[in-house]
Amino acid sequence: MSGSMLFSLLLLTCVPCCIISSSANDQLLVNMTLVQNASAIGAYCLDGSLPAYHLHRGSAAGASNWLLQFEGGGWCNSVASCLDRAKTHRGSTLYMDQMEPFSGILSNNASRNPDFYNWNRVKIRYCDGASFAGNSIFDNGTSLLYFRGQRIWEAIILDLLPKGLSNAKKALLGGCSAGGLAVFLHCDNFATYLPTNTSVKCFSDAGFFLDARDIMLNNTMRAFYKNLTSLQGVVDNMDKNCTKSEYYPEQCIFPQYALPYIKTPVFILNTAYDVYQFHHILVPTSADPHGVWNHCKINPAECSPNQIDILQGFRLEMLNALRFFIEYSRRGGLFINSCFAHCQSESEDTWSGADSPRVNNKTIAEAVGDWYFGRRDTMEIDCAYPCDNTCHNLIGLRSSFRHYNGTSRFKHLT
């Protein structure tokens, strides 16, 4: 281990876990907590560093309520991509920022996050590359990788239980992107750690990844997930009722197959034109080698009529995959809007801002809160693009992705 990496590790282990700071724009920053006991159950990030989370304590009426949010950030499905990832903040806590901003659903601002602002709020850092679900090791004598996502999840829960989670009155397990997928994988398991009288629910943001063919009719995402689940030993940690069903076991990583077996109430937040899925499931680079879709990917207004038809077909495919949930889920919630975006719960602009997306004049924050607290049923489905004029702050976004094992960044064109 280099001297600089060792110094970073010492900083993480020596600074008290509850230090809070604010930036000039009054953004809440929360310090990282390394899980010191994680090694006792073999829970390590890809590179062997300790897993971590950020905890901001609740107060007043929210002091006994807990919100846990899985961090997102793609996946790695090969030794080469995982070795690359292990040298970044997506595979090692040694490269992560010590302070993490809390906004959107994690905000402590009552006006911006009225239902969850005073809960105990936890951001679970992502460093395994398999949505916190792997359980294996790669060691060829030269390179060593820890595929220990499942144990990371368990180690963090065990660390939080004596800090008050074991006495939670209300609890919500959430996540965005790969973290949103982790919600489907761990939702029922989360409930088993908590008292039987705890109100436990789950919330997935941009985690409903479709088992869909790309524009060349190839199952690109299915092949990717098959390699992922095999490499990292994910299948053993999936719902056994699903893996023993008519599907191939590795297909149960797709929420559309796993969701019918989840007993805990779930809220699904997704855009019908999720840009990650648009760029990597529907139109991956392998299916568009000449870049015919490049302008459409950058700005939907530049899509041809034929491309719009294909996107509308993708939207219908998502709605069809959710049909059983819409028709038969009595305790579930849904918010499917028609913005070109990816992850909408962790930013004020899309969570509850004055200019944030709405369906039936309801913000995402209002929809999730109404569902969790049982104020009213929430099954909101937007009309098809381009009818929604609340998406004007999202449609013009330029997206720049590194492939599946990368991170997502958005930059305004204007």
Side-chain angles (χ1 to χ4, degrees):
M1 183 181 295
S2 69
S4 60
M5 292 172 68
L6 180 58
F7 179 67
S8 298
L9 180 58
L10 288 172
L11 279 178
L12 291 176
T13 57
C14 293
V15 178
C17 68
C18 54
I19 290 179
I20 307 298
S21 176
S22 294
S23 61
N25 62 356
D26 197 34
Q27 184 177 51
L28 175 67
L29 297 176
V30 182
N31 194 65
M32 178 185 286
T33 299
L34 286 176
V35 184
Q36 299 294 345
N37 294 328
S39 57
I41 62 170
Y44 301 105
C45 297
L46 285 171
D47 70 330
S49 58
L50 293 175
Y53 61 85
H54 301 255
L55 165 62
H56 186 248
R57 286 288 188 177
S59 61
S64 297
N65 302 331
W66 286 76
L67 165 62
L68 276 62
Q69 182 85 349
F70 285 119
E71 183 179 29
W75 309 271
C76 60
N77 75 334
S78 67
V79 170
S81 64
C82 290
L83 284 171
D84 287 343
R85 188 182 181 97
K87 301 171 187 175
T88 73
H89 69 289
R90 294 302 186 196
S92 171
T93 50
L94 297 176
Y95 299 101
M96 293 180 182
D97 290 336
Q98 184 178 317
M99 308 299 289
E100 184 72 7
F102 273 31
S103 60
I105 195 172
L106 293 172
S107 172
N108 67 334
N109 187 305
S111 63
R112 300 171 187 169
N113 187 29
D115 287 312
F116 307 106
Y117 76 97
N118 62 351
W119 285 30
N120 297 284
R121 298 172 325 285
V122 181
K123 185 163 189 178
I124 301 175
R125 299 307 299 267
Y126 184 33
C127 64
D128 65 277
S131 289
F132 300 87
N135 189 25
S136 63
I137 290 179
F138 173 82
D139 185 359
N140 65 358
T142 302
S143 300
L144 175 62
L145 287 167
Y146 292 90
F147 301 132
R148 296 296 204 186
Q150 179 70 26
R151 300 191 191 197
I152 289 173
W153 157 246
E154 293 169 1
I156 289 175
I157 289 293
L158 292 175
D159 202 61
L160 291 171
L161 287 172
K163 295 182 178 181
L165 180 60
S166 62
N167 298 316
K169 293 181 179 178
K170 294 181 174 65
L172 178 62
L173 179 66
C176 158
S177 191
L181 180 62
V183 170
F184 292 108
L185 297 174
H186 295 295
C187 182
D188 280 344
N189 179 247
F190 179 53
T192 66
Y193 285 100
L194 301 175
T196 55
N197 62 346
T198 303
S199 173
V200 185
K201 298 185 180 182
C202 300
F203 164 67
S204 174
D205 175 9
F208 198 82
F209 295 96
L210 284 177
D211 182 18
R213 294 179 183 269
D214 63 31
I215 56 172
M216 296 301 291
L217 302 182
N218 295 316
N219 285 309
T220 301
M221 197 64 179
R222 186 186 294 185
F224 178 88
Y225 274 156
K226 183 175 182 179
N227 291 336
L228 170 71
T229 56
S230 175
L231 175 69
Q232 296 217 29
V234 174
V235 171
D236 289 342
N237 297 315
M238 294 179 186
D239 188 288
K240 299 299 186 292
N241 292 313
C242 182
T243 57
K244 293 178 181 177
S245 65
E246 71 271 23
Y247 310 114
Y248 293 111
E250 62 271 11
Q251 284 182 264
C252 291
I253 197 171
F254 287 102
Q256 66 199 79
Y257 306 125
L259 187 57
Y261 300 99
I262 298 175
K263 300 179 180 63
T264 308
V266 178
F267 188 102
I268 299 171
L269 165 64
N270 241 92
T271 73
Y273 310 95
D274 182 288
V275 291
Y276 189 93
Q277 298 197 53
F278 173 15
H279 293 191
H280 297 301
I281 296 180
L282 181 63
V283 193
T285 302
S286 60
D288 184 33
H290 302 295
V292 174
W293 282 76
N294 285 354
H295 291 294
C296 178
K297 284 182 175 182
I298 292 171
N299 184 358
E302 297 189 23
C303 297
S304 69
N306 181 61
Q307 289 170 333
I308 289 293
D309 286 344
I310 292 172
L311 285 166
Q312 303 297 22
F314 189 76
R315 171 182 178 269
L316 290 177
E317 192 165 359
M318 176 174 287
L319 295 180
N320 284 333
L322 286 164
R323 185 176 300 279
F324 79 94
F325 181 73
I326 297 168
E327 294 178 352
Y328 299 111
S329 178
R330 296 180 180 179
R331 298 186 298 163
L334 191 69
F335 192 101
I336 305 293
N337 60 7
S338 294
C339 305
F340 284 78
H342 182 68
C343 289
Q344 302 178 87
S345 64
E346 295 181 1
S347 168
E348 180 191 344
D349 290 342
T350 48
W351 175 246
S352 64
D355 203 28
S356 66
R358 284 168 166 77
V359 178
N360 293 325
N361 202 33
K362 182 181 294 186
T363 65
I364 294 168
E366 290 168 339
V368 175
D370 284 349
W371 163 77
Y372 185 90
F373 291 98
R375 293 190 290 251
R376 56 185 62 88
D377 292 339
T378 303
M379 285 283 181
E380 307 291 353
I381 301 176
D382 210 352
C383 50
Y385 171 81
C387 72
D388 188 342
N389 60 13
T390 71
C391 287
H392 64 86
N393 61 332
L394 296 175
I395 290 177
L397 294 178
R398 180 191 301 275
S399 60
S400 175
F401 292 100
R402 291 171 61 189
H403 202 49
Y404 296 112
N405 62 329
T407 57
S408 304
R409 295 181 178 85
F410 300 91
K411 297 181 181 178
H412 285 280
L413 287 174
T414 56

